Structure formats: structure tokens, C-alpha cells
Amino acid sequence: MWWVGEFSLIQVLLGILLLIPPLLMVHMWRRTRMLLRFNRALDYQRTVWSEFIFAVVIVCILIGIATTIILTEPFSLSTVPLLVMFIAALMSRHVDQRMKQIDPEHVTYANLARHKTKRS
């Protein structure tokens, strides 16, 4: 913790927040493995893998942006992660709909959300 004195509090907090995306990737990895078991069709598996790879790329971009903010403190970049996350959400929805086209029995995020709401 000798380096804490060299950085501002916001930089230290952002550094701690860098641990969150890799933890979220554990959930994404489990979901990818689960989806790969449901359908052996090559198009479906390719789509599942593309969603996972896209998520890894997004996490790397967010870590790079956060690292830049930590090291240089240009808070003008703070809107870029929000834009990247918005684009990621749109792309994830598109991939989910593509999986639904390939496999009509695929459970989309919207179906899961409705089920969780009814269950609560």
C-alpha cells in the first residue's frame, strides 16, 4: 500500500473497481458453457462463442479506459465507458435475437427477466 500516497482517492477507488469486470466474466463464462451444451449446431455455437469473445473485448476496453483514467486523471474520458457499455448492451441483445433465430427454443434475456419477475 506504499503507492496509495502517490494517487488521489478517486484513482485508488477506480483501481479497486478494475476487479469487477473479471469477476463478471466468470458469470459470462458459465453462461457460455451452459449454452454450448444445449445445441450442437455449428451456427449456434459460433454465435455463442462470438458473444463471449465480444464480452472479453469489451472488458479489455473498459480496463484500458479505467487504467488511463487512473494514471492520467482525464475525467473527460468518463463518458466513453458509458457509451461502450451501451453499445455492448445493444450488441448482446442482437446476438441473443440471432440465437433465437437459429434455435427457436433458445431462452432470451427478456424471457429470463420475465421469469425472474414472476418468481419474485
Side-chain angles (χ1 to χ4, degrees):
M1 293 298 257
W2 59 270
W3 53 270
V4 174
E6 297 178 17
F7 295 111
S8 68
L9 178 62
I10 193 74
Q11 289 175 313
V12 173
L13 291 176
L14 283 173
I16 292 170
L17 288 177
L18 281 176
L19 299 175
I20 294 173
L23 293 176
L24 294 176
M25 288 309 298
V26 171
H27 170 71
M28 188 70 183
W29 173 248
R30 286 183 185 156
R31 181 178 184 277
T32 300
R33 285 186 31 212
M34 178 187 66
L35 289 175
L36 288 173
R37 286 188 219 140
F38 289 142
N39 193 333
R40 298 284 182 206
L42 187 60
D43 286 342
Y44 184 82
Q45 290 198 355
R46 198 176 295 151
T47 306
V48 170
W49 278 115
S50 68
E51 182 183 28
F52 180 75
I53 291 169
F54 180 71
V56 169
V57 168
I58 292 296
V59 166
C60 290
I61 289 171
L62 291 175
I63 288 174
I65 291 169
T67 303
T68 303
I69 291 173
I70 289 170
L71 296 178
T72 62
E73 267 191 76
F75 290 105
S76 61
L77 287 177
S78 61
T79 57
V80 175
L82 295 176
L83 180 64
V84 168
M85 290 187 325
F86 177 72
I87 292 171
L90 290 178
M91 289 298 293
S92 180
R93 186 179 185 111
H94 173 73
V95 168
D96 204 30
Q97 293 304 316
R98 172 86 172 116
M99 283 192 272
K100 183 72 169 178
Q101 288 175 349
I102 295 170
D103 182 11
E105 295 179 7
H106 173 72
V107 178
T108 62
Y109 289 120
N111 293 343
L112 286 174
R114 269 189 249 120
H115 178 70
K116 285 181 182 179
T117 304
K118 287 179 183 177
R119 200 173 67 183
S120 297

